[in-house]
Amino acid sequence: MQLTNIPEVKLGLVAVSRDCFPVALSEKRRAAVKAACSGELYECPVTVENEQGMLKAVEDVKAQGCNALVVFLGNFGPETPETLIARNFDGPCMFVAAAEGDGDLINGRGDAYCGMLNCSYNLGMRHLKGYIPEYPVGTAEDVAGMIAEFVPIARAVIGVKNLKIITFGPRPQDFFACNAPIKGLYELGVEVEENSELDLLVSYREHAGDPRIPAVCAEMAAEMGEGRYYPDLGERMAQFELTLLDWAEKHKGARKYVAFADKCWPAFPSQFGFEPCYVNSRLVSRGIPVACEVDIYGALSECIGMCVSGDTVTLLDINNSVPARLWAEQIKGKFDYRLTDTFMGFHCGNTPACKLCADRAVKYQLIQNRLLENGGEPDFTRGTLEGDIAASDITFYRLQCDSDGNLRSYIAQGEVLPVATGSFGGIGVFAIPEMGRFYRHVLIQKRYPHHGAVAFGHYGKALFEVFKFLGIQDIAYNQPKSLPYPTENPFR
C-alpha cells in the first residue's frame, strides 16, 4: 500500500548576499546548486540582501507552494535578513554556505564560511530554529547532497507540526508505559484528541451494513491469501477499518495528518467481537500510525519514523530475552553478536504484513484467550496478524515525555536476524550492538517504557537530526564499549 498520510516536501532554494559582496556571486552559485540537484527544487529568483528582499523571497516561495527552504549563503550573507526568513516562513529552513574554489580569491571570494558563524549566532539571539548540517559548507555538489539528506528531516518536522493524535482510552491502568504526560505533545506543536472506547464503539455500530464493507473484505482476503484469515471475521474487521478511516477524516480538523492510539484490551475484543491488531496493521501500512494500548508517544514515534524512512513502521514491546540455547544453535558463530546483544521484539499482531515472513496469517491472541476465554476455542480473541518479522536492517527508537514532563529520546541501529523465533505474535529476533549495556544504562536507567518504534532500515542519522531540530536535549544511543555511560560502573 502507498503511504498517504505523510507530507510531501516541496523545497525552495533562496540565496542571500551581503551588500559588500557581488550579488552575482550568490546567484551564480545558487544556479549551480540547482543544476546539481536531482530532485524537485524551486529556485527562488529573489536574492535576499535586505529585509524587503527577505519579505519578497518568502512571499515568492509561499506562492510556489514550498513548505521547506534551503537558505543558501552564496557569500557572507546579511545575517539579520537571512535569519528572519526562518521567522517569516512557516516551515523548516536549512542554512548552508558555499565553499570557495569556483573563482578567483579576489573578486570571486565569498567568505560564506565566516558568514555561517554570524548566521548561527543570529538564529540563537532570535530564538529561531534553523537546521544546520554537520559540515554546512560545500561545493554545489556537496550542497546538493545536504539537500537530499534534509528532505526526510523536513518531512518529519512538517509531519509533527501538522499532526493530530486521536486516542480512544482511557489509558490503561497499571500500564504506566502509556500514561506519559501529554504536555510534551503541545510543546512540539502536536494536537491530541482524547476519546473513550464507548465513543469508538458507538461509531463502529453506526457503520454496520456500510456498503463499502464487501470491497474491504475482498481486499483483506487478497492481501492474506486463502487459508490465512478467518472469513467469518472479515465483515467485522472491515467495518472497524472504515470506522477508523472515517473518524480520521471527520476529526482531522485543522491538521493535515492523523495518528491513532487505541485501547485494545481487555474490554475491546469482547465488545467488538475481535482483536483490532490486523486492522491496525493495515492502517500502518498505508501511513496511518496506530499505537496499541493508547501509547500516545508510540504513535508520535511511528509518525516520525514513517516520515524519515518513507516506509511503514511498527511498534513493538522490547519483550523477552533470547534463550541461550537458541543463541548457541542459531546465532553464535554465524553472526557477530553476543547473547546480550540480542532480544525479541514482539506485539500481538500490529506489524504490517509486508514486514513479516511469507507464512504470516491472521490468528488469535493467546494471552487474551487465556484471560478472557479461559483458554477455550478462540472466538472474539481472533484478529491478530502473526508471523516472524522478516530479516532486515532496523532502527529501534522512541520519543518520550518522562514523568517530569521532559522530552527525551533514544536511537539504536541493528537488524532482525533470519532466525525462527518458535513463538507467537508478530515477533522477531533483534540484534543491536551492545544492547545489554544500552538496555541497562538507557532504557532502564532513564525509565523508558517497554514500547519501541521500529523503522525498517538504518535511519539513525536522520532521526538524530530530527530530534535535534525538535529541541530534544537528551538523545541517547547504544554507545560502544570505549564510551562508558555515566551510570556504568568502571570497576565492573
Side-chain angles (χ1 to χ4, degrees):
M1 295 182 180
Q2 184 179 2
L3 301 186
T4 58
N5 188 54
I6 64 172
E8 180 181 346
V9 175
K10 184 168 183 181
L11 273 177
L13 173 64
V14 177
V16 302
S17 175
R18 198 173 189 88
D19 55 9
C20 56
F21 287 83
V23 67
L25 183 60
S26 273
E27 292 174 343
K28 180 186 75 170
R29 288 172 167 176
R30 180 189 68 203
V33 169
K34 166 68 175 175
C37 287
S38 57
E40 182 182 0
L41 178 68
Y42 171 68
E43 183 182 359
C44 177
V46 180
T47 303
V48 174
E49 297 181 275
N50 51 49
E51 291 184 39
Q52 289 300 315
M54 175 272 297
L55 292 174
K56 289 178 182 178
V58 170
E59 182 181 2
D60 178 73
V61 293
K62 285 182 177 179
Q64 293 297 320
C66 296
N67 56 6
L69 284 186
V70 178
V71 180
F72 176 62
L73 280 65
N75 58 42
F76 192 100
E79 55 226 58
T80 293
E82 72 194 11
T83 51
L84 287 176
I85 292 173
R87 172 173 290 170
N88 287 271
F89 180 74
D90 187 25
C93 297
M94 176 172 74
F95 290 82
V96 292
E100 312 294 357
D102 55 352
D104 66 71
L105 291 181
I106 304 294
N107 295 315
R109 198 187 79 192
D111 297 358
Y113 187 87
C114 185
M116 275 300 302
L117 297 173
N118 284 23
C119 176
S120 172
Y121 189 85
N122 209 288
L123 285 169
M125 285 199 304
R126 298 175 185 278
H127 302 286
L128 296 172
K129 285 186 177 180
Y131 173 66
I132 299 176
E134 282 292 305
Y135 185 72
V137 182
T139 64
E141 291 73 20
D142 295 332
V143 172
M146 298 176 205
I147 291 172
E149 291 189 343
F150 178 55
V151 170
I153 297 166
R155 191 161 54 223
V157 172
I158 295 167
V160 168
K161 188 175 180 180
N162 292 279
L163 178 67
K164 175 182 279 188
I165 299 177
I166 297 171
T167 77
F168 295 102
R171 283 175 266 174
Q173 174 65 21
D174 287 335
F175 226 65
F176 292 104
C178 305
N179 269 291
I182 62 173
K183 168 180 173 285
L185 297 176
Y186 296 119
E187 291 177 354
L188 294 169
V190 175
E191 188 57 66
V192 59
E193 173 191 296
E194 295 194 276
N195 307 281
S196 76
E197 286 179 288
L198 184 57
D199 295 319
L200 184 58
L201 183 60
V202 169
S203 183
Y204 172 73
R205 288 175 175 170
E206 290 173 349
H207 279 76
D210 191 303
R212 299 170 292 175
I213 287 175
V216 177
C217 288
E219 191 179 277
M220 289 177 170
E223 178 183 51
M224 293 311 302
E226 196 62 36
R228 297 188 183 276
Y229 66 100
Y230 299 107
D232 64 303
L233 281 186
E235 185 173 332
R236 281 177 264 175
M237 291 192 295
Q239 181 177 331
F240 182 60
E241 181 172 308
L242 291 168
T243 300
L244 288 176
L245 291 173
D246 285 352
W247 192 288
E249 197 58 37
K250 291 177 182 177
H251 290 251
K252 190 181 295 184
R255 296 305 172 108
K256 297 179 181 179
Y257 314 106
V258 295
F260 287 105
D262 299 349
K263 189 80 170 283
C264 48
W265 63 269
F268 185 101
S270 64
Q271 298 307 303
F272 284 78
F274 60 93
E275 296 281 0
C277 309
Y278 174 52
V279 173
N280 292 350
S281 79
R282 282 175 51 81
L283 266 64
V284 174
S285 71
R286 67 181 69 174
I288 304 173
V290 185
C292 313
E293 298 158 327
V294 206
D295 181 3
I296 298 177
Y297 285 93
L300 174 61
S301 299
E302 285 186 292
C303 173
I304 292 171
M306 286 180 181
C307 291
V308 164
S309 67
D311 191 10
T312 189
V313 298
T314 193
L315 187 75
L316 298 177
D317 290 352
I318 303 168
N319 198 68
N320 58 281
S321 59
V322 172
R325 181 175 177 180
L326 177 61
W327 173 80
E329 293 176 352
Q330 299 292 328
I331 300 173
K332 184 179 180 181
K334 299 178 183 178
F335 304 96
D336 190 20
Y337 296 110
R338 295 169 296 165
L339 175 60
T340 54
D341 292 334
T342 65
F343 68 100
M344 288 194 187
F346 157 89
H347 242 176
C348 308
N350 59 309
T351 299
C354 60
K355 301 303 181 183
L356 299 177
C357 294
D359 60 352
R360 80 282 186 280
V362 177
K363 297 184 181 180
Y364 71 95
Q365 218 291 348
L366 177 63
I367 299 171
Q368 293 297 313
N369 175 254
R370 292 176 191 150
L371 177 67
L372 301 175
E373 297 179 315
N374 297 315
E377 183 69 22
D379 178 20
F380 56 77
T381 57
R382 297 176 298 161
T384 57
L385 177 60
E386 302 199 13
D388 280 359
I389 299 172
S392 169
D393 287 339
I394 59 92
T395 306
F396 226 104
Y397 67 100
R398 186 176 178 90
L399 177 57
Q400 177 74 15
C401 190
D402 66 20
S403 58
D404 295 322
N406 301 311
L407 287 163
R408 55 177 46 173
S409 63
Y410 68 77
I411 307 166
Q413 293 185 159
E415 62 178 309
V416 180
L417 297 176
V419 174
T421 65
S423 194
F424 64 94
I427 189 167
V429 175
F430 285 73
I432 292 175
E434 298 298 327
M435 177 64 190
R437 295 171 55 244
F438 177 72
Y439 175 73
R440 175 61 186 89
H441 297 286
V442 173
L443 300 181
I444 293 176
Q445 186 67 33
K446 297 187 176 185
R447 300 180 177 88
Y448 277 102
H450 65 284
H451 286 180
V454 179
F456 294 93
H458 285 167
Y459 297 104
K461 181 178 180 181
L463 284 167
F464 192 90
E465 297 299 332
V466 169
F467 292 154
K468 276 201 309 184
F469 191 93
L470 293 175
I472 311 305
Q473 299 296 311
D474 184 348
I475 309 174
Y477 63 97
N478 52 321
Q479 296 176 192
K481 282 184 179 179
S482 59
L483 185 59
Y485 294 97
T487 55
E488 196 165 5
N489 191 327
F491 303 103
R492 69 192 185 285

